[in-house]
Amino acid sequence: MHELVRNRVDAGRRKVLKVSGGLGLLGLFTVLGLVPSFARAGVSREAFDAMTLSEAFAALGGLIPQDSTLISLSAPDVAENGAVVPITVETSLAGVERVSILADKNPTMLVASFDIPVGTDAFITTRIKMAQTSSVVALVKANGKFYKASKEVKVTQGGC
Amino acid sequence: MQSPSKIRASVKDGVTEVRVLMQHEMDNGRRKDEAGKLIPAWYITEFKALYNGRAVLTGQFGTSVSKNPYLVFRFRGGTAGDKLSVAWIDNKGESRTDEVLIV
């Protein structure tokens, strides 16, 4: 009986050691520069938990975006495979700092957010997953203000 | 260890166009395996593209980016023969950095 308890304790201790050893190694790699450093810029991670578009807009900057015809959002009218929906966002707005892509009816509606440094075009192409037919929204932050454009994409087979 | 990102960067008329295919499952945590068990979420959370050490694009992903994330973007400048690198990190802390020469 006693032996059994001790074995369990040892097993537990080994697990703890293993976990902390792993963290130590990751820490060492970070120090050595083997793990790329990511300066926590960009949007708050909480923005990815947003359940509604207004929640997402609030998490992305707290402002109500205004519709802009200067944003071009290309997406298919009908996406047969919701797992791979090609999206291109391009804008002629001046002073673009960030481009975010949202899919209204996805469980995780904020898909991706891109920070555009000076010298990089306000142009991005990517592929997203869509759970069902819904609007896709491109949210652009330019000179501290928020603008958006949206497009309805009919999804034949959801791919979330 | 994850597979390397496929990167192509080409400069034309002073603009470098970069195409990236990062190789990653991008599991959203809602899919089930054959035994009906949920596959835990596993996805790239952040990436950055550097040209001569300068960020030319950074971004954050959620779970709705397609498997094997694909990106196309363009930046001003860039010289053939210079290095362009793309690094990512996922929600498990795994990361990868790959680089190519601009053509």
Side-chain angles (χ1 to χ4, degrees), chain A residues 114-136:
Chain A
F114 303 94
D115 289 291
I116 315 281
V118 173
T120 295
D121 290 358
F123 162 90
I124 192 96
T125 288
T126 190
R127 294 173 185 159
I128 73 169
K129 290 183 244 183
M130 288 184 73
Q132 53 179 297
T133 297
S134 84
S135 61
V136 173

Side-chain angles (χ1 to χ4, degrees), chain A residues 26 34-45 48 82-85 90 98 106-130 159-160, chain B residues 15 17 21 25-28 30-31 43-48 54-77 87-89 92-93 95-97:
Chain A
L26 183 63
L34 294 175
V35 172
S37 65
F38 283 90
R40 286 267 156 205
V43 300
S44 145
R45 250 357 264 187
F48 287 94
V84 185
V85 184
E90 191 166 13
R98 179 175 297 151
N106 272 13
T108 304
M109 65 172 48
L110 176 57
V111 178
S113 195
F114 303 94
D115 289 291
I116 315 281
V118 173
T120 295
D121 290 358
F123 162 90
I124 192 96
T125 288
T126 190
R127 294 173 185 159
I128 73 169
K129 290 183 244 183
M130 288 184 73
C160 250
Chain B
V15 178
E17 181 169 278
L21 188 83
E25 284 300 318
M26 300 299 284
D27 278 315
N28 62 14
R30 286 183 298 275
R31 282 194 321 128
Y43 60 101
I44 293 175
T45 53
E46 284 176 69
F47 77 91
K48 59 182 175 186
R54 170 174 68 90
V56 285
L57 188 72
T58 58
Q60 293 162 281
F61 289 164
T63 52
S64 297
V65 172
S66 300
K67 176 178 175 172
N68 297 334
Y70 175 71
L71 293 176
V72 184
F73 65 95
R74 303 179 188 130
F75 67 92
R76 306 275 141 184
W88 58 251
I89 188 160
K92 289 184 183 173
S95 64
R96 154 126 240 142
T97 304

